[in-house]
Amino acid sequence: MNENEPCETVPQEEIRGRIDCLKKRMADEGIDFALICQNVDKYYFTGTLQKGVLAVAPGRDPILLIEKSVERARAETPLPFITVGSDREGAEILKKEGIIKGVAGLELDVLPVALYERLKGLLGFTRHADVAPSVKELRAIKSPFELDQIGKSGSIMTRVFEKAKDVIREGITELEIDAALTAEGRRLGHQGFLRMRGINQEMMTITVQAGFSSAITTTYADSPITGMGVTPAVPIGSSFKKVEKGVPVTIDYGGGYHGYTTDETRVFVVGELQELFRKPYDAAHEILEDLLSYGAPGVDCRDLYARALRIVKNAGLEHYFMGSGEGQVSFIGHGLGLEINELPFITARHGTILEEGMVFAFEPKFVLPPHGAIGIEIDVKVGPRRLERITGDSFEIVRL
């Protein structure tokens, strides 16, 4: 990856293929037209985030309306588009084109009620359906183009973890480590932030934990290790806690390139790891080795979760797995792509069957209050016969 080289735009054939797949799903589900409004979905189907809306209907060309910035949209999307001065003007164009008829497909998982009411008032549709499940299922299978972007995101992440070896030392604060590694990622071309789907879903690019701060899991975020943060206004992330000898430092870092995210966790320790953390670390390592040997196309995600849980129970660590007390979460993995909480979800109840092209993070972690937490996270893609690492670096504990 050349960090001085600008990102390429999304190829036209990529965009056209995605829209064609959406049209087919819409036809199968009885959705007559869809309005794609959410930024990430709009980017996925058009290659631009500029202000506007995409209208898709089976059997006809899509209609992309751009309100601003027209010049950037022209440089970014391979689709032809119509420039409009307002959403009211755009609505009139869609009605004139005859696309507004029958069942409207809307992204109901993220569409605000106020926007829904405005669209309904402007366009006059009376029936609607949720197009979001189809969109999310389409996005779960990555194309070769997308896998290339994810690989470049992973390259940034690998180099940040390598830099961490030079930064971590006894007495340094989590925030100082955070600042140094955030700067390193930005120098390498990191896009600056990560996206999550859903209301009140927020994500730090990096979270560093060094001891008791990592054992504080009873916060709003649905994550096994969240950190304390520095304010109740943002009660997650790195804090002023200092690194101590023998206490694991966990760094959860998300790469970001051309919109595509990666998400891994590594463990560092100054001196010898305290005995308390050895068994949980060994269990996390065993779970990942089992994942890489067993996971493959056709495997049920519930089986991956069950196999991990068996290892945890055999080690007598179930009360500390993926959090502690009310902070325990119900997943051990999540899909990756333009958002960091895509399909598939690796839980006891999501019966998704792995397919070639899926990408997900797998994160066996243990929280041991009040002492700290330890765990590892790796990203994998589903290849034709087995799971393949996104990055090639070691996930062994790093002793400093």
Side-chain angles (χ1 to χ4, degrees):
M1 171 186 156
N2 180 357
E3 55 266 25
N4 296 316
E5 183 178 307
C7 293
E8 58 185 309
T9 55
V10 184
Q12 180 171 344
E13 62 272 17
E14 186 87 6
I15 295 296
R16 294 289 183 181
R18 295 170 184 177
I19 292 175
D20 287 345
C21 288
L22 178 60
K23 288 179 181 179
K24 184 178 184 306
R25 284 179 174 264
M26 290 168 58
D28 292 342
E29 295 169 12
I31 297 176
D32 297 295
F33 70 96
L35 300 175
I36 304 300
C37 302
Q38 191 241 23
N39 268 357
V40 177
D41 290 342
K42 188 168 55 181
Y43 178 75
Y44 180 77
F45 289 111
T46 70
T48 185
L49 250 75
Q50 302 310 314
K51 186 178 180 181
V53 64
L54 175 68
V56 178
R60 61 176 299 164
D61 290 335
I63 300 175
L64 176 58
L65 305 174
I66 295 292
E67 190 172 339
K68 68 169 189 178
S69 160
V70 173
E71 290 305 312
R72 291 198 64 171
R74 186 172 290 120
E76 293 166 351
T77 180
L79 296 179
F81 61 84
I82 302 170
T83 302
V84 297
S86 67
D87 56 0
R88 187 173 297 277
E89 181 183 347
E92 291 303 316
I93 290 172
L94 294 180
K95 288 191 284 188
K96 185 177 179 180
E97 290 287 331
I99 199 171
I100 309 301
K101 57 184 178 181
V103 177
L106 304 168
E107 303 147 304
L108 296 182
D109 64 330
V110 290
L111 190 70
V113 173
L115 180 53
Y116 164 80
E117 293 291 353
R118 180 156 181 81
L119 290 172
K120 187 177 180 181
L122 289 172
L123 298 172
F125 57 82
T126 57
R127 294 180 293 160
H128 68 266
D130 190 3
V131 77
S134 291
V135 170
K136 290 188 282 189
E137 287 168 11
L138 284 175
R139 285 176 46 192
I141 308 299
K142 272 58 182 182
S143 67
F145 170 81
E146 292 182 286
L147 291 173
D148 185 54
Q149 311 314 304
I150 290 171
K152 291 174 180 177
S153 175
S155 295
I156 294 174
M157 185 171 60
T158 295
R159 292 172 66 176
V160 167
F161 283 133
E162 184 66 28
K163 178 69 174 179
K165 300 174 185 178
D166 302 325
V167 174
I168 299 170
R169 64 183 184 278
E170 185 180 7
I172 193 173
T173 67
E174 295 172 354
L175 280 170
E176 289 174 303
I177 299 169
D178 182 320
L181 299 185
T182 297
E184 181 71 7
R186 290 294 275 164
R187 277 193 289 268
L188 296 170
H190 192 291
Q191 64 197 26
F193 66 96
L194 309 176
R195 292 188 171 100
M196 294 185 75
R197 194 177 188 96
I199 188 170
N200 295 335
Q201 296 297 303
E202 299 168 321
M203 181 92 195
M204 297 285 190
T205 299
I206 183 172
T207 301
V208 181
Q209 296 96 15
F212 69 79
S213 61
S214 60
I216 297 174
T217 61
T218 51
T219 190
Y220 76 99
D222 192 23
S223 178
I225 306 175
T226 62
M228 293 193 303
V230 293
T231 167
V234 187
I236 56 175
S238 309
S239 73
F240 290 101
K241 173 71 176 64
K242 294 182 178 180
V243 172
E244 303 172 65
K245 280 187 177 180
V247 178
V249 178
T250 61
I251 299 180
D252 191 340
Y253 183 81
Y257 179 84
H258 207 171
Y260 287 88
T261 61
T262 44
D263 179 23
E264 296 199 341
T265 300
R266 296 290 183 271
V267 183
F268 302 81
V269 64
V270 177
E272 288 299 315
L273 184 67
Q274 290 181 7
E275 188 64 33
L276 170 71
F277 298 102
R278 292 184 184 277
K279 183 189 286 187
Y281 173 77
D282 290 342
H285 198 282
E286 182 180 352
I287 289 168
L288 291 183
E289 293 291 355
D290 182 73
L291 168 78
L292 293 172
S293 65
Y294 178 76
V299 169
D300 191 316
C301 288
R302 292 173 296 191
D303 291 341
L304 296 179
Y305 187 89
R307 292 173 69 91
L309 192 58
R310 278 198 294 272
I311 293 171
V312 170
K313 288 182 176 179
N314 287 341
L317 295 169
E318 59 267 35
H319 296 300
Y320 311 103
F321 181 52
M322 300 305 289
S324 177
E326 65 173 332
Q328 281 188 305
V329 298
S330 60
F331 67 89
I332 191 175
H334 56 89
L336 294 167
L338 292 170
E339 292 166 317
I340 207 160
N341 57 343
E342 296 193 2
L343 299 176
F345 295 112
I346 316 300
T347 74
R349 60 186 183 87
H350 286 86
T352 304
I353 304 302
L354 293 182
E355 297 181 52
E356 184 178 355
M358 287 181 171
V359 178
F360 62 93
F362 202 73
E363 51 177 321
K365 295 175 179 176
F366 297 87
V367 177
L368 300 99
H371 309 286
I374 195 165
I376 318 168
E377 182 176 15
I378 64 170
D379 298 342
V380 295
K381 62 182 177 181
V382 183
R385 291 177 296 277
R386 60 183 178 85
L387 300 185
E388 302 170 8
R389 294 269 318 273
I390 295 296
T391 64
D393 63 318
S394 170
F395 53 77
E396 301 287 342
I397 191 169
V398 178
R399 293 177 172 83
L400 304 169

